[in-house]
Amino acid sequence: MTTEMMLKQDFLTKQLRAEKNAKDNFIKDLILGQFGSDLDLFIERGRNFNIDLLLARQAVVIDVIKKPENASNLSDELQEQIHKDELLKILENYFNDKENLIIYMGKGRFVVLKRVNYDDPNNKAIINRSLREISNKIQKRNIQVLIGIGNLQIHWLNLKSSYQEACDAVILGAKVNKEGNIFHIQDLIVERSLNSMDDFMKRNIFNSFIGPAESNDGKQWSEMERTLITLFDSNLNVSEAAKRLYLHRNSLAYRLQKVTECTGLDPLLFYDAVKIYIGLTLNKLK
C-alpha cells in the first residue's frame, strides 16, 4: 500500500509538472507572438488552461541584474532555482488574479501579462504602486531588478508589441535614468524614437547640437552635463536648479553662459533647450 501511494504521488507530481510546462509554453507563445497558422486552435489551447484571451492586458518585464553572492554550500544551479522560486512567489502574491499570467523566460527575466481594466484612468498609478512594493520586497533579498512596463493592449494579438515595449523600457530606462528602476514606455517615447535612428544619424545630430561642448576636457564636460540635466529637471527654473546644485544663482548663470559659448545654444530658450536635451539623450543612448 505504501509503495502504491508513493507511485500514485509520483505520477500526480509528474502530471502536474507536465501540465504546468504546457501552460508555460502556451504563455511564452502568447508573449512572443508564436500563434501558429490556426488562431482558433490557439484560442482553444488557452481555454484548456482556463485562460481568457479576450481580456485587456499589458506586459511587465522584470530583469534580475544582480543577485547575492552564493555564500552557502549549495550548487549554483540550486541557488538559482531558489532565487527563481522566491521571485515567482512574490509576483504571484502581488498579481494574485488568476487572469494575470506569470512566466519565467530564462536568463533572469520574468514576465507578467497583467489583466487591466482599460476603462480605469488610474491604471498607470495602480501598477506603478504595485511594482514599487514588489521592487522593495525583492531588494530586501539583496536582489536588484529593472522593471519595464509596456502599453495596455485590448487585443491579445498585440501582446507581443506590449512585451517588446516593456523590454525597450528596461533598456532605455537604464541608460537615461540612473536613479530609478521602474520604467514605463509611455515616459520614454522621445528616447525610443531617438534610439530608432541609426548610429550615424545619432552622432551627426549630437555633433550638431552639443558636440563642441563634449570636446572640452572630461571634468568640464561632466560638470556642464550635470548642470544641464539639473536645469531640465527643474523645468528651466534657474533658482531651483541653483538650489539643487548648491550654487549661487550667479555661478549657475556663468556655467550656462559657458554652454552658450561652446554650443551657440541658450539653455534658457525653449527651442535651444530642446536641441540640447536631444543631444544629451543621444549621448546616453550611444
Side-chain angles (χ1 to χ4, degrees), residues 42-210:
F42 190 82
I43 294 173
E44 189 60 33
R45 280 179 65 195
R47 288 199 188 104
N48 291 335
F49 301 117
N50 295 317
I51 295 174
D52 185 354
L53 290 180
L54 302 182
L55 299 175
R57 291 184 173 91
Q58 69 184 135
V60 178
V61 167
I62 300 98
D63 277 352
V64 176
I65 58 171
K66 187 176 181 181
K67 293 172 289 190
E69 293 184 6
N70 188 356
S72 64
N73 294 323
L74 301 175
S75 66
D76 290 341
E77 292 80 7
L78 184 54
Q79 192 69 38
E80 184 82 17
Q81 184 65 42
I82 290 172
H83 289 149
K84 172 189 165 185
D85 291 343
E86 284 182 341
L87 266 63
L88 280 173
K89 189 173 182 180
I90 291 172
L91 293 175
E92 288 167 356
N93 285 339
Y94 274 90
F95 298 109
N96 56 9
D97 187 320
K98 68 181 182 66
E99 295 295 351
N100 291 327
L101 309 180
I102 303 170
I103 186 73
Y104 178 66
M105 300 288 284
K107 297 183 179 179
R109 169 164 290 179
F110 299 81
V111 179
V112 180
L113 296 181
K114 185 184 181 305
R115 177 186 179 180
V116 181
N117 177 8
Y118 61 86
D119 290 328
D120 189 344
N122 298 316
N123 279 326
K124 187 176 178 183
I126 291 170
I127 195 169
N128 281 343
R129 184 166 59 250
S130 296
L131 291 174
R132 278 195 297 271
E133 293 175 4
I134 290 171
S135 176
N136 292 336
K137 196 153 192 172
I138 292 174
Q139 286 179 348
K140 288 179 180 178
R141 288 168 167 75
N142 295 319
I143 300 174
Q144 294 182 19
V145 295
L146 293 175
I147 302 176
I149 309 167
N151 282 316
L152 181 156
Q153 295 294 341
I154 297 175
H155 202 292
W156 59 274
L157 287 173
N158 298 324
L159 285 174
K160 178 183 177 181
S161 174
S162 183
Y163 169 66
Q164 188 57 60
E165 290 168 347
C167 294
D168 289 349
V170 168
I171 296 169
L172 296 172
K175 286 184 176 182
V176 303
N177 187 337
K178 300 301 183 183
E179 296 179 0
N181 71 323
I182 301 173
F183 312 106
H184 200 301
I185 195 63
Q186 290 179 1
D187 300 324
L188 295 164
I189 293 175
V190 172
E191 289 79 2
R192 197 180 191 212
S193 299
L194 293 174
N195 199 50
S196 65
M197 299 178 183
D198 60 56
D199 290 340
F200 176 79
M201 181 68 75
K202 288 178 186 175
R203 171 52 61 180
N204 192 33
I205 294 175
F206 173 78
N207 287 337
S208 298
F209 290 166
I210 58 174

Side-chain angles (χ1 to χ4, degrees), residues 225-239:
E225 185 179 33
R226 185 167 65 93
T227 300
L228 289 168
I229 290 172
T230 305
L231 179 67
F232 295 144
D233 288 343
S234 304
N235 292 318
L236 302 185
N237 186 316
V238 175
S239 297

Side-chain angles (χ1 to χ4, degrees), residues 8-24:
K8 284 183 177 179
Q9 183 64 41
D10 183 58
F11 173 76
L12 288 172
T13 300
K14 288 180 178 177
Q15 190 175 30
L16 288 171
R17 188 181 298 122
E19 289 176 0
K20 185 179 187 313
N21 288 340
K23 183 177 180 180
D24 286 352

